[in-house]
PDB file of all heavy atoms in Angstrom:
ATOM      1  N   ALA A1276      99.429 109.515 119.555  1.00 96.00           N
ATOM      2  CA  ALA A1276      98.403 110.528 119.743  1.00 96.00           C
ATOM      3  C   ALA A1276      98.077 111.221 118.421  1.00 96.00           C
ATOM      4  O   ALA A1276      97.427 112.256 118.441  1.00 96.00           O
ATOM      5  CB  ALA A1276      98.785 111.527 120.755  1.00 96.00           C
ATOM      6  N   THR A1307      92.839 103.185 103.797  1.00 97.00           N
ATOM      7  CA  THR A1307      91.827 102.839 104.804  1.00 97.00           C
ATOM      8  C   THR A1307      90.382 103.245 104.436  1.00 97.00           C
ATOM      9  O   THR A1307      89.449 102.501 104.686  1.00 97.00           O
ATOM     10  CB  THR A1307      92.166 103.462 106.188  1.00 97.00           C
ATOM     11  OG1 THR A1307      91.367 102.779 107.216  1.00 97.00           O
ATOM     12  CG2 THR A1307      92.019 104.983 106.276  1.00 97.00           C
ATOM     13  N   VAL A1315      87.964 108.869  97.916  1.00 98.00           N
ATOM     14  CA  VAL A1315      88.950 109.754  98.374  1.00 98.00           C
ATOM     15  C   VAL A1315      89.193 110.868  97.258  1.00 98.00           C
ATOM     16  O   VAL A1315      89.551 110.329  96.121  1.00 98.00           O
ATOM     17  CB  VAL A1315      90.228 109.203  98.927  1.00 98.00           C
ATOM     18  CG1 VAL A1315      91.259 110.247  99.300  1.00 98.00           C
ATOM     19  CG2 VAL A1315      89.905 108.197 100.085  1.00 98.00           C
ATOM     20  N   GLU A1370      85.673 136.763  80.894  1.00 97.00           N
ATOM     21  CA  GLU A1370      86.291 136.267  79.694  1.00 97.00           C
ATOM     22  C   GLU A1370      86.924 134.839  79.937  1.00 97.00           C
ATOM     23  O   GLU A1370      87.167 134.114  78.892  1.00 97.00           O
ATOM     24  CB  GLU A1370      87.314 137.194  79.117  1.00 97.00           C
ATOM     25  CG  GLU A1370      88.587 137.440  79.978  1.00 97.00           C
ATOM     26  CD  GLU A1370      88.454 138.411  81.086  1.00 97.00           C
ATOM     27  OE1 GLU A1370      87.262 138.830  81.369  1.00 97.00           O
ATOM     28  OE2 GLU A1370      89.413 138.587  81.814  1.00 97.00           O
ATOM     29  N   ASN A1411      76.391 130.131  98.562  1.00 98.00           N
ATOM     30  CA  ASN A1411      75.805 129.459  99.782  1.00 98.00           C
ATOM     31  C   ASN A1411      74.651 128.545  99.422  1.00 98.00           C
ATOM     32  O   ASN A1411      73.920 128.137 100.372  1.00 98.00           O
ATOM     33  CB  ASN A1411      75.554 130.471 100.895  1.00 98.00           C
ATOM     34  CG  ASN A1411      76.694 131.267 101.367  1.00 98.00           C
ATOM     35  OD1 ASN A1411      77.679 130.720 101.834  1.00 98.00           O
ATOM     36  ND2 ASN A1411      76.590 132.549 101.131  1.00 98.00           N
ATOM     37  N   LYS A1418      75.199 127.217  88.797  1.00 98.00           N
ATOM     38  CA  LYS A1418      74.682 125.962  88.266  1.00 98.00           C
ATOM     39  C   LYS A1418      75.492 125.484  86.969  1.00 98.00           C
ATOM     40  O   LYS A1418      75.668 124.313  86.832  1.00 98.00           O
ATOM     41  CB  LYS A1418      73.231 126.128  87.885  1.00 98.00           C
ATOM     42  CG  LYS A1418      72.559 124.739  87.470  1.00 98.00           C
ATOM     43  CD  LYS A1418      71.035 124.889  87.251  1.00 98.00           C
ATOM     44  CE  LYS A1418      70.479 123.591  86.810  1.00 98.00           C
ATOM     45  NZ  LYS A1418      69.053 123.734  86.482  1.00 98.00           N
ATOM     46  N   PHE A1420      78.483 125.419  86.464  1.00 98.00           N
ATOM     47  CA  PHE A1420      79.745 124.615  86.941  1.00 98.00           C
ATOM     48  C   PHE A1420      79.225 123.187  87.347  1.00 98.00           C
ATOM     49  O   PHE A1420      79.866 122.143  87.121  1.00 98.00           O
ATOM     50  CB  PHE A1420      80.554 125.350  87.992  1.00 98.00           C
ATOM     51  CG  PHE A1420      80.911 126.716  87.616  1.00 98.00           C
ATOM     52  CD1 PHE A1420      80.404 127.876  88.271  1.00 98.00           C
ATOM     53  CD2 PHE A1420      81.823 126.888  86.591  1.00 98.00           C
ATOM     54  CE1 PHE A1420      80.843 129.083  87.925  1.00 98.00           C
ATOM     55  CE2 PHE A1420      82.193 128.160  86.192  1.00 98.00           C
ATOM     56  CZ  PHE A1420      81.744 129.295  86.887  1.00 98.00           C
ATOM     57  N   ALA A1445      68.419 121.730  91.633  1.00 98.00           N
ATOM     58  CA  ALA A1445      69.219 120.554  91.197  1.00 98.00           C
ATOM     59  C   ALA A1445      68.229 119.505  90.540  1.00 98.00           C
ATOM     60  O   ALA A1445      68.681 118.663  89.751  1.00 98.00           O
ATOM     61  CB  ALA A1445      69.874 119.883  92.412  1.00 98.00           C
ATOM     62  N   GLY A1446      67.010 119.526  90.847  1.00 98.00           N
ATOM     63  CA  GLY A1446      65.998 118.547  90.322  1.00 98.00           C
ATOM     64  C   GLY A1446      66.357 117.161  90.688  1.00 98.00           C
ATOM     65  O   GLY A1446      66.631 116.870  91.919  1.00 98.00           O
ATOM     66  N   TRP A1469      80.002 121.567 118.774  1.00 98.00           N
ATOM     67  CA  TRP A1469      79.086 120.512 119.322  1.00 98.00           C
ATOM     68  C   TRP A1469      77.654 120.676 118.979  1.00 98.00           C
ATOM     69  O   TRP A1469      76.734 119.884 119.373  1.00 98.00           O
ATOM     70  CB  TRP A1469      79.214 120.601 120.930  1.00 98.00           C
ATOM     71  CG  TRP A1469      80.545 120.066 121.355  1.00 98.00           C
ATOM     72  CD1 TRP A1469      81.478 120.866 121.901  1.00 98.00           C
ATOM     73  CD2 TRP A1469      81.097 118.774 121.362  1.00 98.00           C
ATOM     74  NE1 TRP A1469      82.603 120.174 122.180  1.00 98.00           N
ATOM     75  CE2 TRP A1469      82.280 118.887 121.885  1.00 98.00           C
ATOM     76  CE3 TRP A1469      80.630 117.617 120.885  1.00 98.00           C
ATOM     77  CZ2 TRP A1469      83.229 117.799 121.988  1.00 98.00           C
ATOM     78  CZ3 TRP A1469      81.452 116.498 120.926  1.00 98.00           C
ATOM     79  CH2 TRP A1469      82.762 116.552 121.568  1.00 98.00           C
ATOM     80  N   ALA A1526      81.481  91.154 101.628  1.00 92.00           N
ATOM     81  CA  ALA A1526      82.089  90.039 100.878  1.00 92.00           C
ATOM     82  C   ALA A1526      83.071  89.302 101.771  1.00 92.00           C
ATOM     83  O   ALA A1526      83.352  89.784 102.930  1.00 92.00           O
ATOM     84  CB  ALA A1526      82.899  90.644  99.647  1.00 92.00           C
ATOM     85  N   GLN A1535      93.095 101.177 115.157  1.00 96.00           N
ATOM     86  CA  GLN A1535      92.792 102.516 114.701  1.00 96.00           C
ATOM     87  C   GLN A1535      94.038 103.221 113.999  1.00 96.00           C
ATOM     88  O   GLN A1535      93.873 104.367 113.521  1.00 96.00           O
ATOM     89  CB  GLN A1535      92.388 103.382 115.797  1.00 96.00           C
ATOM     90  CG  GLN A1535      90.982 103.066 116.314  1.00 96.00           C
ATOM     91  CD  GLN A1535      90.542 103.992 117.446  1.00 96.00           C
ATOM     92  OE1 GLN A1535      91.270 105.044 117.704  1.00 96.00           O
ATOM     93  NE2 GLN A1535      89.309 103.929 117.886  1.00 96.00           N
ATOM     94  N   GLN A1562      86.777  99.294 110.730  1.00 96.00           N
ATOM     95  CA  GLN A1562      86.345  99.856 112.027  1.00 96.00           C
ATOM     96  C   GLN A1562      84.987  99.368 112.470  1.00 96.00           C
ATOM     97  O   GLN A1562      84.097  99.335 111.617  1.00 96.00           O
ATOM     98  CB  GLN A1562      86.464 101.317 112.048  1.00 96.00           C
ATOM     99  CG  GLN A1562      87.839 101.839 111.908  1.00 96.00           C
ATOM    100  CD  GLN A1562      88.718 101.458 113.085  1.00 96.00           C
ATOM    101  OE1 GLN A1562      88.520 101.811 114.203  1.00 96.00           O
ATOM    102  NE2 GLN A1562      89.761 100.626 112.808  1.00 96.00           N
ATOM    103  N   SER A1597      75.297  91.574 136.502  1.00 90.00           N
ATOM    104  CA  SER A1597      74.670  90.536 137.409  1.00 90.00           C
ATOM    105  C   SER A1597      74.733  89.163 136.697  1.00 90.00           C
ATOM    106  O   SER A1597      74.958  89.088 135.523  1.00 90.00           O
ATOM    107  CB  SER A1597      73.294  90.825 137.647  1.00 90.00           C
ATOM    108  OG  SER A1597      72.405  90.599 136.531  1.00 90.00           O
ATOM    109  N   GLU A1691      85.623  79.541 117.571  1.00 96.00           N
ATOM    110  CA  GLU A1691      85.284  79.313 116.147  1.00 96.00           C
ATOM    111  C   GLU A1691      84.022  78.437 115.995  1.00 96.00           C
ATOM    112  O   GLU A1691      83.657  77.645 116.767  1.00 96.00           O
ATOM    113  CB  GLU A1691      86.392  78.519 115.419  1.00 96.00           C
ATOM    114  CG  GLU A1691      86.195  78.247 113.960  1.00 96.00           C
ATOM    115  CD  GLU A1691      87.372  77.501 113.440  1.00 96.00           C
ATOM    116  OE1 GLU A1691      88.450  78.029 113.446  1.00 96.00           O
ATOM    117  OE2 GLU A1691      87.224  76.434 112.789  1.00 96.00           O
ATOM    118  N   GLU A1724      82.327  91.785 138.796  1.00 95.00           N
ATOM    119  CA  GLU A1724      83.153  92.464 137.892  1.00 95.00           C
ATOM    120  C   GLU A1724      83.126  91.716 136.488  1.00 95.00           C
ATOM    121  O   GLU A1724      83.178  90.436 136.490  1.00 95.00           O
ATOM    122  CB  GLU A1724      84.494  92.650 138.338  1.00 95.00           C
ATOM    123  CG  GLU A1724      85.588  93.292 137.425  1.00 95.00           C
ATOM    124  CD  GLU A1724      86.948  93.396 137.848  1.00 95.00           C
ATOM    125  OE1 GLU A1724      87.103  93.043 139.061  1.00 95.00           O
ATOM    126  OE2 GLU A1724      87.728  93.879 137.077  1.00 95.00           O
ATOM    127  N   ILE A1734      85.662  86.322 109.267  1.00 97.00           N
ATOM    128  CA  ILE A1734      84.448  85.637 108.775  1.00 97.00           C
ATOM    129  C   ILE A1734      84.899  85.076 107.432  1.00 97.00           C
ATOM    130  O   ILE A1734      85.413  85.930 106.495  1.00 97.00           O
ATOM    131  CB  ILE A1734      83.201  86.458 108.624  1.00 97.00           C
ATOM    132  CG1 ILE A1734      82.888  87.200 109.829  1.00 97.00           C
ATOM    133  CG2 ILE A1734      82.044  85.679 108.072  1.00 97.00           C
ATOM    134  CD1 ILE A1734      81.777  88.231 109.623  1.00 97.00           C
ATOM    135  N   HIS A1739      88.396  77.884 103.205  1.00 88.00           N
ATOM    136  CA  HIS A1739      89.284  78.999 102.863  1.00 88.00           C
ATOM    137  C   HIS A1739      90.558  78.913 103.456  1.00 88.00           C
ATOM    138  O   HIS A1739      90.641  78.662 104.726  1.00 88.00           O
ATOM    139  CB  HIS A1739      88.598  80.400 103.162  1.00 88.00           C
ATOM    140  CG  HIS A1739      89.499  81.553 103.075  1.00 88.00           C
ATOM    141  ND1 HIS A1739      89.875  82.074 101.835  1.00 88.00           N
ATOM    142  CD2 HIS A1739      90.296  82.184 103.963  1.00 88.00           C
ATOM    143  CE1 HIS A1739      90.745  83.049 101.922  1.00 88.00           C
ATOM    144  NE2 HIS A1739      91.069  83.154 103.275  1.00 88.00           N
ATOM    145  N   PRO A1745     106.082  80.928  97.700  1.00 93.00           N
ATOM    146  CA  PRO A1745     107.251  80.740  98.435  1.00 93.00           C
ATOM    147  C   PRO A1745     108.454  81.697  98.049  1.00 93.00           C
ATOM    148  O   PRO A1745     108.300  82.430  96.985  1.00 93.00           O
ATOM    149  CB  PRO A1745     107.679  79.339  97.948  1.00 93.00           C
ATOM    150  CG  PRO A1745     107.059  79.165  96.638  1.00 93.00           C
ATOM    151  CD  PRO A1745     105.770  79.904  96.702  1.00 93.00           C
ATOM    152  N   TRP A1770     110.620  94.362  95.978  1.00 96.00           N
ATOM    153  CA  TRP A1770     110.328  93.004  95.624  1.00 96.00           C
ATOM    154  C   TRP A1770     109.334  92.874  94.578  1.00 96.00           C
ATOM    155  O   TRP A1770     108.410  93.712  94.400  1.00 96.00           O
ATOM    156  CB  TRP A1770     109.850  92.250  96.895  1.00 96.00           C
ATOM    157  CG  TRP A1770     108.835  92.879  97.779  1.00 96.00           C
ATOM    158  CD1 TRP A1770     107.438  92.659  97.581  1.00 96.00           C
ATOM    159  CD2 TRP A1770     108.868  93.844  98.855  1.00 96.00           C
ATOM    160  NE1 TRP A1770     106.724  93.354  98.508  1.00 96.00           N
ATOM    161  CE2 TRP A1770     107.662  94.098  99.282  1.00 96.00           C
ATOM    162  CE3 TRP A1770     109.950  94.581  99.316  1.00 96.00           C
ATOM    163  CZ2 TRP A1770     107.369  95.042 100.276  1.00 96.00           C
ATOM    164  CZ3 TRP A1770     109.769  95.417 100.275  1.00 96.00           C
ATOM    165  CH2 TRP A1770     108.447  95.676 100.752  1.00 96.00           C
ATOM    166  N   TYR A1781      98.961  90.675  97.104  1.00 90.00           N
ATOM    167  CA  TYR A1781      99.003  91.083  98.562  1.00 90.00           C
ATOM    168  C   TYR A1781      99.075  92.650  98.690  1.00 90.00           C
ATOM    169  O   TYR A1781      99.637  93.327  97.855  1.00 90.00           O
ATOM    170  CB  TYR A1781     100.199  90.543  99.277  1.00 90.00           C
ATOM    171  CG  TYR A1781     100.378  89.046  98.961  1.00 90.00           C
ATOM    172  CD1 TYR A1781     101.515  88.613  98.354  1.00 90.00           C
ATOM    173  CD2 TYR A1781      99.467  88.027  99.336  1.00 90.00           C
ATOM    174  CE1 TYR A1781     101.645  87.343  97.971  1.00 90.00           C
ATOM    175  CE2 TYR A1781      99.591  86.743  99.096  1.00 90.00           C
ATOM    176  CZ  TYR A1781     100.693  86.312  98.300  1.00 90.00           C
ATOM    177  OH  TYR A1781     100.920  85.052  98.002  1.00 90.00           O
ATOM    178  N   ALA A1814     104.845  97.694 105.026  1.00 98.00           N
ATOM    179  CA  ALA A1814     104.707  98.268 103.664  1.00 98.00           C
ATOM    180  C   ALA A1814     103.342  97.942 103.090  1.00 98.00           C
ATOM    181  O   ALA A1814     102.895  96.952 103.214  1.00 98.00           O
ATOM    182  CB  ALA A1814     105.865  97.812 102.652  1.00 98.00           C
TER     183      ALA A1814
END
Side-chain angles (χ1 to χ4, degrees):
T1307 192
V1315 176
E1370 70 278 5
N1411 301 297
K1418 188 178 180 183
F1420 305 116
W1469 293 107
Q1535 288 187 2
Q1562 292 299 294
S1597 74
E1691 183 178 299
E1724 181 181 355
I1734 309 173
H1739 170 82
W1770 51 94
Y1781 315 112

